[in-house]
Amino acid sequence: MAKRTASDSSAAAESARRLDTLLNNLPGMAYRCCNDRSYTMQFVSAGALALTGYRADELEQSQGVTYGALIHPDDQAKVWEQVQASVAAAQPFNLRYRIRTASGAEKWVEERGCGIFAADGSLAALEGYISDITAAAAEEALLEHERTMQGLLDAILDSVLLIDAEGVILYANATVGQRLGVAAAEMVGCSLYDLLPAEVAARRRAYVEHVRRVRQHFTFLDQRGDHWIEHNYYPICDAQGEVARLAIYGRDVTEKHRAEEALRYNEERYRMLAENASDVIVTVNPRGEVTYVSPSVRQVLGYTEAEMKAISITAICRPESCALAFQTYAEASAHPGSRVRTLELECWHSNGALVTLEVSMKVLCDAAGDPVSVIAIARDITARKNVEALLYASEQQLRALVGNSPDIIARFDRDLRHLFVSRAIEPVTGMPAAAMFGKTDRELGMPAAQVEYWEERLRHVFATGETTDIEFSLPTPAGVEYFTSRLIPEYSAQEEIQTVLGVTRNITARRRAELALQESEKRYRQIIETAQEGIWMIDPAANTTFVNQAMATMLGYAVAEMAGTPLFAFMDEEGRALAHHNLARRQQGISENHEFKFVRKDGQPVWAYLSTNPILDDAGHYQGALAMVTDITERKQAEIELAQRAADLERSNRDLEQFAYVASHDLQEPLRMVASFVQLLAQEYRGQLGENADEYIDYAVEGAKRMRQIIADLLAYSRVSTHGKPFLPVDCNTVLEEVLASLQLVIEENGGQVAYDGLPAVLGDRTQIYQVFQNLIGNAFKYCSAAPPRIAVGAAPAPGGKMWRFWVSDNGIGIEPQYFERIFVIFQRLHGRKEYSGTGVGLAICKKIVERHGGRIWVESTPGEGSTFHFTLPAADETAAEQAEG
Ligand code: ADP
């Protein structure tokens, strides 16, 4: 638009009228307006009404509406900027934008205009023409759209086809043309089925018919050579709802199909792996929920897959393990795509056992890098852990053992150098074990003799592989000590002897003990061998395990002959029975001493006194027996002889008594006859046969009398044992009273006195006890001196408390000590008949009676002063005697 100026006015008026007519008949709207945002109209042509729905005057006066307000809000800014730019450049402007009409309809308009400048060059107004281009714009847009679509459809690799219900092609894009080998444009109007192989065509027709029938989208996958095509049939319905046309969309999905196949294959493979793995495979989403867990969880943790999905990880993990797992997860999610992390977790098995899991964990992220899942593979390493722990413990143990073992443990290489030696060697060598590593014994300055022996043995083990035991002595700081070593070959993986292990034990103490034992054994053996007593040991089967020389000699054998021989071989039948009985007691652990009769090799009996002991082991089990044996054969024989002699004596005594009794009894009769006839002779012939004859007759009478007395006494003596009565309690007081009564005459004649106290009761034969008192008291009166007889009778308990001791004492003539024994022997008298009458039987009877009662009789006497006769008798009441004694 060029700058203009006003011209001649008349011509101008005419020109203005013509212009006005022109303007008002134009289809669009001419205008003149201010250059403000409202585009305040100074003039608009009549076309305004048709264009905007507002009359020209409404716009000119800006009554209620300005042109600026009609411009579509989205376009207002654009319009303003373009107008201002053009005006500034003094260029005309050409704009396309939308307006809103009075009815609210939207219209596309084209505006062409320019700035009107005053003479001074300032902008006076804008002038221009605005026409409705709505129809043209719509058509243009459609065309544009079609072009775009066409291009688009041709550009895409997918095939797009539009057919009618009969299969006639209405549209085909370039891809269809390429696929079918026909130009796309040429296809239009052709039947699709004619373009396809017959068999394919038939299928397509069936699909089309199917879509027409069901009026629904239909899809299928079609393999064409190596390619997979996904076909989509979309029904397009007419106003009646019938399928008038079909849009067919075909996409080559070969890659996708392959990828899917591969994915399915992979997934199946991984699933199979997961399902069959002994490791537990688990996926956990970011909320900590288990989304997948492999069935092996059942074996490892005891839960089913379903249970596992319901359990919180915190419920089965130890708290420390939980913390570790969460920390690892946090770190891994902070660095997505980073490496797999491995951690050890301790979890509780459903049975309560603690299971150690080695877990490999990876966080999987989506494209944006956000964690979507955690995949973890858990392996049960409890057993390995346990083995590791055991291994560790056993290594520690081994270390402790080797380190603390009193044995010296050393390892030698083929050059006989110490590869290792335990500290136990230090007291032996006097040098630290560490100083010995890598050196040979020779280099260490060990005594040459020992080194040679030792090295020779070591080489032997290296050469032969034989485990070898050796013994040797060595000077050590503590003196010469003794050792045993075991040398053990150690093999490499190649089965070669690589090293030799030596285990050496100090046996000095044992060796010394052995020597001491040998010494003491020797000593004991000497003692045993030289012992006078026999020593005899047997095993549990009663076989002889040991006898000493004395024992063998005692039985007349050699030691070797007795060894191993059964005990029973050295005795007779009676002895064997007894020995069985004795051994049974030994087996019960009983020790005892007894006499036993063995049989010598020569058949002679050997009497022995045995001190026997069972031999028991620590557990108290019978291991045999030991006897100390003393030969008592001589004593035993003497005893036997003595017993025999006693028996003989008793028998001859009995015979003698019998004889005395029979003799005295049978002598009475002829004696009585002799006495009667001698008395008859004296009466008839006294004084007639001469003086001498009377004297002889008197002698004969006297002799017969004496003889009768002797026989009577002898009979009494023998009757003590042959006519004795059973023992009964006897009250000695009454016995004594009776005795004194019978001696009444004698006592009165002599003017004597008998003193006695209460006497005890005894157990005995009353008649005989009476006789003892009578004889003793009678003698006391008979053997009196010039002084009147003083006699005392008493009793006291004898030591032991079971007997009473009685006494009868007098003040008579007394007895010389040398006769104390003799007076108790029968017919023994100390005086002539002329001095004191008697037969010498009285005391013998007393002795016999007292002894029959188990007592004793003896005398104490001082000649000229008197005698005391003591005798003991069993108490009738033992307790009384005991108390009296106490
Ligand atoms: P007897 O009286 O018949 O001679 P006994 O056997 O009674 O025979 O006595 C033996 C002897 O013991 C007597 O001869 C006498 O010498 C002596 N004797 C016995 N009792 C006493 C006594 N009480 N005092 C002294 N001597 C006695």
Side-chain angles (χ1 to χ4, degrees):
M1 215 186 285
K3 288 182 183 178
R4 281 190 251 172
T5 56
S7 59
D8 180 58
S9 63
S10 61
E14 178 54 26
S15 171
R17 191 193 52 80
R18 278 204 309 260
L19 188 63
D20 202 39
T21 310
L22 182 68
L23 288 174
N24 285 325
N25 285 294
L26 278 174
M29 181 182 95
Y31 69 88
R32 182 187 176 98
C33 68
C34 301
N35 184 27
D36 59 24
R37 286 204 180 249
S38 301
Y39 304 107
T40 309
M41 292 294 172
Q42 295 164 357
F43 162 79
V44 287
S45 66
L49 185 64
L51 185 70
T52 66
Y54 295 100
R55 289 189 318 277
D57 57 321
E58 283 176 308
L59 285 170
E60 278 169 357
Q61 284 142 30
S62 298
Q63 288 172 344
V65 62
T66 64
Y67 184 76
L70 297 184
I71 297 172
H72 193 284
D74 291 349
D75 295 345
Q76 284 174 357
K78 181 179 80 182
V79 170
W80 176 254
E81 278 160 22
Q82 285 187 4
V83 169
Q84 298 312 307
S86 299
V87 169
Q91 293 284 326
F93 49 85
N94 186 349
L95 311 169
R96 281 184 176 209
Y97 57 88
R98 289 164 293 178
I99 58 167
R100 284 218 181 100
T101 66
S103 67
E106 197 172 276
K107 280 183 176 171
W108 276 96
V109 297
E110 185 179 51
E111 180 176 351
R112 290 168 190 272
C114 61
I116 303 297
F117 297 92
D120 61 357
S122 65
L123 183 67
L126 301 174
E127 277 186 1
Y129 178 78
I130 301 167
S131 59
D132 182 354
I133 59 161
T134 306
E139 203 173 322
E140 170 71 10
L142 196 67
L143 273 171
E144 179 63 32
H145 180 67
E146 216 175 272
R147 269 197 306 277
T148 311
M149 286 301 289
Q150 188 81 45
L152 202 70
L153 289 172
D154 285 340
I156 62 170
L157 293 167
D158 300 335
S159 62
V160 180
L161 196 65
L162 188 68
I163 58 169
D164 68 9
E166 303 311 320
V168 175
I169 296 170
L170 301 176
Y171 170 80
N173 75 347
T175 309
V176 179
Q178 281 162 21
R179 277 204 194 136
L180 296 181
V182 185
E186 287 171 24
M187 273 187 233
V188 177
C190 299
S191 166
L192 170 67
Y193 310 129
D194 294 342
L195 297 173
L196 295 170
E199 185 210 354
V200 179
R203 274 212 305 277
R204 294 289 187 277
R205 189 188 291 274
Y207 297 151
V208 169
E209 290 310 315
H210 170 75
V211 171
R212 286 180 68 188
R213 213 166 40 246
V214 303
R215 297 171 199 169
Q216 296 240 325
H217 163 233
F218 173 74
T219 184
F220 67 92
L221 204 60
D222 188 27
Q223 189 176 16
R224 215 172 287 162
D226 291 344
H227 286 260
W228 288 87
I229 315 290
E230 184 190 83
H231 291 274
N232 286 281
Y233 281 36
Y234 295 97
I236 301 170
C237 296
D238 59 14
Q240 285 74 44
E242 292 300 321
V243 175
R245 288 183 287 174
L246 287 96
I248 299 176
Y249 179 87
R251 163 169 285 188
D252 189 330
V253 293
T254 309
E255 286 307 313
K256 186 182 142 205
H257 184 74
R258 282 201 190 125
E260 272 176 9
E261 281 290 292
L263 199 70
R264 195 165 57 244
Y265 172 70
N266 266 350
E267 201 177 282
E268 264 173 27
R269 202 169 55 180
Y270 287 126
R271 182 165 287 273
M272 204 169 78
L273 279 176
E275 304 285 276
N276 293 304
S278 57
D279 294 349
V280 178
I281 297 164
V282 59
T283 59
V284 183
N285 68 17
R287 289 183 300 284
E289 295 157 353
V290 172
T291 48
Y292 170 79
V293 62
S294 61
S296 54
V297 72
R298 185 72 186 267
Q299 276 87 57
V300 175
L301 291 175
Y303 297 103
T304 63
E305 295 157 71
E307 283 170 341
M308 204 50 209
K309 285 182 181 169
I311 291 172
S312 151
I313 187 162
T314 50
I316 58 160
C317 267
R318 285 187 65 173
E320 308 88 83
S321 290
C322 269
L324 179 64
F326 287 131
Q327 187 197 337
T328 310
Y329 171 71
E331 279 169 18
S333 359
H335 306 94
S338 63
R339 62 194 165 77
V340 171
R341 281 151 204 274
T342 306
L343 54 155
E344 275 180 22
L345 301 180
E346 288 186 314
C347 299
W348 281 288
H349 190 275
S350 67
N351 66 12
L354 204 58
V355 177
T356 308
L357 298 177
E358 185 183 72
V359 179
S360 300
M361 167 170 142
K362 186 162 170 67
V363 176
L364 305 179
C365 296
D366 61 12
D370 294 322
V372 290
S373 173
V374 176
I375 180 159
I377 300 173
R379 171 167 298 179
D380 183 351
I381 56 161
T382 314
R384 195 185 83 196
K385 273 272 151 188
N386 289 345
V387 169
E388 277 173 8
L390 279 176
L391 221 78
Y392 180 76
S394 102
E395 198 185 299
Q396 290 297 312
Q397 233 165 33
L398 210 66
R399 252 174 221 287
L401 271 177
V402 171
N404 298 314
S405 168
D407 291 346
I408 301 162
I409 297 163
R411 176 171 284 139
F412 298 88
D413 66 8
R414 298 194 75 95
D415 296 327
L416 313 186
R417 287 186 301 241
H418 288 276
L419 291 184
F420 169 81
V421 60
S422 67
R423 292 185 55 195
I425 200 158
E426 293 177 354
V428 177
T429 58
M431 66 177 94
M436 302 179 71
F437 292 130
K439 299 215 171 70
T440 63
D441 283 338
R442 204 175 287 274
E443 287 164 348
L444 290 168
M446 306 281 248
Q450 273 86 359
V451 169
E452 232 150 73
Y453 173 61
W454 178 260
E455 289 191 345
E456 188 271 313
R457 291 285 81 193
L458 273 176
R459 284 204 190 88
H460 171 78
V461 178
F462 273 115
T464 62
E466 281 170 16
T467 295
T468 306
D469 291 322
I470 58 174
E471 269 197 45
F472 58 97
S473 63
L474 205 62
T476 76
V480 172
E481 300 205 317
Y482 299 87
F483 300 88
T484 70
S485 287
R486 171 159 291 189
L487 304 178
I488 305 151
E490 294 182 306
Y491 291 85
S492 68
Q494 286 74 43
E495 298 285 309
E496 284 165 356
I497 302 173
Q498 210 166 30
T499 49
V500 168
L501 192 70
V503 181
T504 302
R505 178 162 295 183
N506 188 328
I507 54 159
T508 310
R510 196 185 80 192
R511 173 55 67 88
R512 288 194 182 131
E514 274 172 10
L515 289 175
L517 200 71
Q518 279 171 11
E519 191 57 34
S520 95
E521 208 176 78
K522 205 166 101 189
R523 244 193 338 260
Y524 280 119
R525 188 161 282 279
Q526 269 170 359
I527 292 170
I528 286 167
E529 289 307 337
T530 53
Q532 294 300 303
E533 273 192 312
I535 297 169
W536 195 337
M537 275 169 79
I538 55 167
D539 65 14
N543 291 318
T544 302
T545 51
F546 175 82
V547 283
N548 65 352
Q549 189 56 52
M551 188 66 242
T553 309
M554 200 185 297
L555 296 187
Y557 288 95
V559 168
E561 282 178 309
M562 287 188 73
T565 310
L567 174 70
F568 303 112
F570 304 98
M571 53 193 71
D572 60 17
E573 204 51 55
E574 185 191 1
R576 274 190 272 277
L578 186 61
H580 274 295
H581 174 75
N582 288 343
L583 280 178
R585 293 170 63 75
R586 233 50 76 229
Q587 280 163 13
Q588 289 164 28
I590 300 169
S591 302
E592 60 193 346
N593 302 334
H594 59 84
E595 290 177 0
F596 193 82
K597 189 182 81 178
F598 290 104
V599 177
R600 277 176 59 91
K601 193 179 181 183
D602 59 15
Q604 290 302 307
V606 175
W607 278 97
Y609 181 77
L610 272 70
S611 175
T612 58
N613 288 292
I615 301 169
L616 306 176
D617 65 10
D618 290 344
H621 297 132
Y622 177 72
Q623 299 296 316
L626 167 72
M628 309 296 290
V629 185
T630 312
D631 189 345
I632 54 161
T633 308
E634 276 179 25
R635 194 193 84 195
K636 199 69 191 173
Q637 266 162 0
E639 269 177 23
I640 291 168
E641 275 169 27
L642 206 68
Q644 237 156 23
R645 215 170 291 160
D648 289 351
L649 216 61
E650 203 182 301
R651 199 173 49 245
S652 84
N653 236 357
R654 248 198 328 275
D655 290 351
L656 213 63
E657 269 169 15
Q658 195 62 30
F659 165 75
Y661 177 74
V662 170
S664 49
H665 186 269
D666 291 358
L667 281 173
Q668 272 186 327
E669 188 46 39
L671 181 61
R672 206 175 292 129
M673 205 158 82
V674 170
S676 328
F677 281 106
V678 171
Q679 274 171 349
L680 209 62
L681 206 60
Q683 283 166 16
E684 295 277 323
Y685 301 102
R686 181 164 296 276
Q688 297 171 27
L689 298 176
E691 223 168 271
N692 281 345
D694 286 350
E695 200 178 334
Y696 295 157
I697 287 170
D698 285 346
Y699 285 147
V701 169
E702 188 56 29
K705 245 195 233 166
R706 236 179 92 67
M707 187 111 177
R708 203 172 60 225
Q709 188 57 50
I710 288 171
I711 287 173
D713 285 349
L714 200 59
L715 206 56
Y717 179 83
S718 73
R719 272 188 171 140
V720 170
S721 50
T722 53
H723 288 66
K725 294 197 192 90
F727 294 171
L728 291 168
V730 177
D731 178 4
C732 294
N733 287 312
T734 55
V735 172
L736 184 64
E737 278 161 17
E738 283 171 29
V739 169
L740 294 179
S742 72
L743 292 171
Q744 183 73 36
L745 220 65
V746 182
I747 295 167
E748 280 172 6
E749 262 175 26
N750 290 348
Q753 283 178 1
V754 179
Y756 66 95
D757 234 4
L759 296 181
V762 296
L763 196 63
D765 182 335
R766 194 177 198 281
T767 314
Q768 292 184 345
I769 290 167
Y770 176 92
Q771 201 165 359
V772 171
F773 279 108
Q774 194 181 41
N775 285 359
L776 292 179
I777 295 168
N779 278 353
F781 278 107
K782 184 161 54 169
Y783 299 106
C784 62
S785 56
R790 292 282 175 272
I791 295 163
V793 180
K802 291 189 170 15
M803 310 283 279
W804 288 103
R805 177 175 59 85
F806 294 85
W807 64 84
V808 177
S809 65
D810 61 55
N811 57 344
I813 59 171
I815 305 163
E816 296 286 338
Q818 64 268 34
Y819 305 121
F820 284 180
E821 297 285 330
R822 202 170 130 187
I823 54 173
F824 294 103
V825 177
I826 193 164
F827 300 131
Q828 292 295 328
R829 311 198 66 232
L830 300 182
H831 306 277
R833 253 194 340 275
K834 300 239 166 60
E835 286 172 279
Y836 299 97
S837 67
T839 56
V841 178
L843 285 180
I845 289 176
C846 286
K847 185 170 190 271
K848 206 171 181 190
I849 290 171
V850 168
E851 283 177 354
R852 185 182 167 234
H853 283 76
R856 200 160 74 79
I857 186 164
W858 69 100
V859 69
E860 288 172 352
S861 177
T862 310
E865 286 186 13
S867 309
T868 302
F869 283 84
H870 302 269
F871 61 96
T872 58
L873 288 175
D877 180 358
E878 284 184 11
T879 43
E882 275 166 36
Q883 279 164 7
E885 188 203 10

